[in-house]
Amino acid sequence: MANVLVVAETRGGELRSVALEVVTAARKAADASGGGEVHALVFGAPGTGAAVQDSLGRHGADLVVAVESAGLEHYDAESLAATTAERLRSGGYRAGFFAASAQGRDLAPRVAAALGVSLASDVTALELSGDALVVQHPVYVGKAIATLRLTGTPALASIRPGAVTAAEAARTPRLETAPPASDPASSRVRVREMLARGDAKLDLGEAPVIVAGGRGLRAAENFRLVEELAAAFGNAAVGATRAVTDDGWRPATDQIGQTGRMVNPNLYVAVGISGAIQHLAGMRTSGTIVAINRDKDAPIFKLADYGIVGDLFEIVPRLTEEIRKARSGG
Amino acid sequence: MKIAVCIKRVPDTEMRFAIAGDGKSLDQAGLKYDISDFDGYAVEVALRLTEKDGGEVAVICLGPDGVQETIRKAFSMGAARGVQLKADTVPFDGSAIAHALAAELRDGGYDLILFGRQSADAGNGTVGPMTAHLLGLPCVTAISHLELADGRGTAHRELEGSAESVEFPIPAVLTIDEGIARPRLPSLKGIMAAKKKTIDVRPAQLGEERLTVQSMALPPERAAGRIVGEGPDAVPELVRLLKTEAKVL
């Protein structure tokens, strides 16, 4: 029997989808160990715990521990790390799970260092096995998958967004409040403001569909074709290759690949992308991959489930039209 | 300003990639090595800061003697000093590495300690913040923008779909994301100067290894895809397949 603590990430008072994925993973690990409890630690302004309690319970949390303070409206690395470490230390937990999101990748190593334990980072699968946590972790930018063995208690892991599918396992969770272990007002590192990044409604990490463009588009203004196709899907985000973001056609935050974002949408449409290793590293785990490229020998076609060879300036507008029709039931 | 940059030597897996006979490491035959990509950005950030405000950049690299080549590359970009923390192999466990780096950095008097956001081989992204904790220093990870003034810094961190502006006091540990400063190519003058610089070699005081590699495998192959057709006339068939076969529409 193993109790598992998760940090359920919120932003602006709302749960992020990765929080439900991590709770799902914790529920499975606790059940597999013979029925431990899942406790979800939530940080935010007053009221956050009550707002997210039902959703966390529906995905398998037995207890929601709300750490609420006006000073925790934004992510406060030092206060969250001290509080999470303290809870793990005093609560007798077998394991602690985080999302390997921008926040979790920052938080988890701090917690591990505070506890003097090691961390399995950015894992795609995990299992408690005897005195070890055994995980899968992509190495060499996704070219190989390592099976790692982590010893020590608590066993800490951060889980790659999208690697676990959130599933329901209904509970009626208890709600408990706890003070932060260190006052956010005394933190040395402090978030001063949130910065807007473009007008994208859907984040690359969360969009079910991604339409990404490469050099084959020839000029920044031709990204209009990619945006129109994304709009036709209705649930798509726009991504780009490194070549494109390096040239300033798109902001750096749009970059998918080894040095950019790692994504795994249900559908990935690669437009004018030849398929450099650096790009493939960021999208190879996508559900279905479609490639449109003029060069039939482009490496992207080796990875793609479906390919169309030809002039993207003719193919993409036609695809946009057909997707629009398909979505309107035509 | 005195800046340390912790860099890692990683195999260049673009050219060649095979798993060794032990089933848990990379086949070393014919491998070439280079500085891990994000660490190159960190060196560049450090050089620009010292060029602007004066000071010195030291690079620290843990590993076997082969890492001296990586340290010399940083020399040729403009780093003034280099330290090899000698170890036969580099542990997979970030906390074991952090212990060795913290021991080296503790009394160094550095204003800033920089890391790449994560390494290109293990890809854990844990060594920077763990080292910061061991040193008791404030830490900001994965920064895409940096300004320093009057003993304080402001950095931007990219989040999913937004970003945050973060303030911190100096000294501090920072890990560097891409997009902040493209690494310079070594100049001929730099390469000549690099040959004359000496590298301090000390044994690495590694921490306990609790995260170890059991096995390594190639990712599952995707089922062979197919070319649906050529040109715009293939579009209706593609849409039909997406709807009925892939079921993603």
Side-chain angles (χ1 to χ4, degrees):
Chain A
M1 212 178 84
N3 289 349
V4 182
L5 182 72
V6 305
V7 173
E9 186 174 331
T10 60
R11 195 186 295 166
E14 289 180 16
L15 271 188
R16 299 197 62 240
S17 60
V18 289
L20 301 178
E21 296 170 11
V22 174
V23 170
T24 299
R27 181 75 265 158
K28 278 186 192 150
D31 288 349
S33 77
E37 290 210 332
V38 173
H39 298 177
L41 198 49
V42 177
F43 296 90
T48 306
V52 302
Q53 179 182 3
D54 286 352
S55 183
L56 290 169
R58 209 160 48 242
H59 292 81
D62 299 291
L63 171 69
V64 174
V65 182
V67 181
E68 299 176 347
S69 150
L72 294 175
E73 189 192 354
H74 294 311
Y75 174 57
D76 184 304
E78 295 185 353
S79 182
L80 263 65
T83 307
T84 307
E86 179 50 35
R87 181 87 198 178
L88 282 163
R89 193 181 287 125
S90 61
Y93 295 98
R94 174 67 188 90
F97 295 167
F98 304 78
S101 56
Q103 184 185 109
R105 285 195 309 266
D106 183 85
L107 177 62
R110 296 174 191 262
V111 173
L115 291 171
V117 300
S118 296
L119 165 72
S121 200
D122 195 23
V123 309
T124 52
L126 73 179
E127 187 184 11
L128 283 166
S129 166
D131 64 348
L133 179 72
V134 177
V135 306
Q136 306 274 309
H137 167 66
V139 291
Y140 303 108
V141 293
K143 283 191 168 172
I145 309 292
T147 301
L148 306 172
R149 189 168 183 275
L150 174 68
T151 55
T153 301
L156 302 188
S158 65
I159 302 170
R160 179 174 284 203
V164 173
T165 305
E168 302 210 344
R171 294 282 197 285
T172 308
R174 312 184 299 277
L175 178 65
E176 182 184 306
T177 55
S182 83
D183 184 356
S186 65
S187 292
R188 295 167 298 181
V189 176
R190 300 167 85 174
V191 174
R192 283 300 175 200
E193 58 175 328
M194 299 299 286
L195 309 168
R197 280 287 183 266
D199 53 359
K201 289 171 208 70
L202 266 173
D203 177 63
L204 284 170
E206 286 159 15
V209 177
I210 290 176
V211 184
R215 270 264 169 75
L217 282 152
R218 290 196 212 130
E221 57 269 27
N222 295 332
F223 251 83
R224 180 180 46 83
L225 294 174
V226 171
E227 280 165 359
E228 284 167 2
L229 177 54
F233 278 108
N235 57 353
V238 172
T241 61
R242 181 174 175 170
V244 160
T245 55
D246 274 0
D247 282 356
W249 297 0
R250 299 291 297 186
T253 47
D254 279 3
Q255 191 205 130
I256 293 168
Q258 179 178 340
T259 53
R261 298 288 300 277
M262 300 279 180
V263 298
N264 49 0
N266 300 331
L267 174 62
Y268 191 93
V269 184
V271 176
I273 292 175
S274 63
I277 292 284
Q278 121 81 28
H279 183 72
L280 302 184
M283 48 65 77
R284 66 184 319 141
T285 56
S286 302
T288 298
I289 298 172
V290 170
I292 297 164
N293 201 295
R294 64 185 315 148
D295 174 11
K296 69 174 172 36
D297 297 321
I300 190 77
F301 285 124
K302 293 209 174 62
L303 194 68
D305 300 285
Y306 306 113
I308 297 184
V309 179
D311 183 354
L312 70 88
F313 294 95
E314 292 174 14
I315 296 165
V316 174
R318 180 73 190 276
L319 182 57
T320 301
E321 186 189 316
E322 293 290 332
I323 294 294
R324 255 188 221 129
K325 263 197 242 164
R327 292 207 354 116
S328 63
Chain B
M1 174 155 287
K2 200 173 166 191
I3 305 177
V5 189
C6 299
I7 61 175
K8 190 174 191 184
R9 179 186 77 140
V10 299
D12 175 2
T13 52
E14 290 275 338
M15 305 301 290
R16 194 181 165 283
F17 191 91
I19 289 174
D22 67 359
K24 57 181 191 179
S25 61
L26 206 57
D27 185 355
Q28 299 291 307
L31 271 186
K32 287 199 167 78
Y33 292 85
D34 202 351
I35 184 171
S36 184
D37 44 15
F38 290 109
D39 301 350
Y41 292 92
V43 171
E44 179 65 33
V45 168
L47 292 171
R48 289 190 192 182
L49 287 171
T50 53
E51 281 161 2
K52 189 163 146 270
D53 299 326
E56 172 184 283
V57 176
V59 294
I60 295 157
C61 192
L62 187 150
D65 288 343
V67 306
Q68 295 194 1
E69 187 191 344
T70 313
I71 294 172
R72 293 211 182 273
K73 177 163 183 182
F75 282 164
S76 69
M77 290 170 71
R81 293 196 302 114
V83 178
Q84 176 195 1
L85 297 178
K86 193 164 174 164
D88 294 338
T89 55
V90 181
F92 196 89
D93 188 343
S95 72
I97 299 171
H99 269 90
L101 292 173
E104 169 64 27
L105 293 161
R106 186 161 284 121
D107 299 317
Y110 296 105
D111 300 296
L112 287 178
I113 299 170
L114 307 185
F115 290 80
R117 181 185 86 181
Q118 64 182 62
S119 64
D121 53 357
N124 289 321
T126 54
V127 179
M130 286 178 169
T131 304
H133 183 90
L134 293 171
L135 295 172
L137 290 176
C139 175
V140 187
T141 64
I143 67 170
S144 58
H145 173 85
L146 175 65
E147 281 169 48
L148 301 176
D150 306 326
R152 294 190 66 78
T154 304
H156 293 175
R157 301 184 68 235
E158 300 299 326
L159 310 175
E160 299 86 0
S162 90
E164 55 193 17
S165 174
V166 181
E167 263 187 29
F168 60 91
I170 294 170
V173 173
L174 306 173
T175 82
I176 306 295
D177 201 351
E178 198 192 30
I180 189 164
R182 185 149 287 274
R184 66 194 63 188
L185 295 170
S187 64
L188 188 59
K189 195 173 148 215
I191 293 167
M192 297 310 286
K195 288 181 181 161
K196 295 196 192 97
K197 291 179 186 167
T198 55
I199 296 171
D200 295 329
V201 182
R202 292 190 259 284
Q205 299 172 39
L206 292 167
E208 188 191 345
E209 286 182 57
R210 293 164 296 221
L211 178 69
T212 49
V213 179
Q214 298 299 292
S215 63
M216 208 178 269
L218 299 177
E221 288 278 327
R222 292 183 73 94
R226 71 183 107 146
I227 301 288
V228 176
E230 291 192 16
D233 293 344
V235 168
E237 174 62 2
L238 171 66
V239 173
R240 190 188 70 78
L241 289 167
L242 291 176
K243 220 191 259 179
T244 60
E245 193 177 82
K247 301 192 187 343
V248 288
L249 286 185

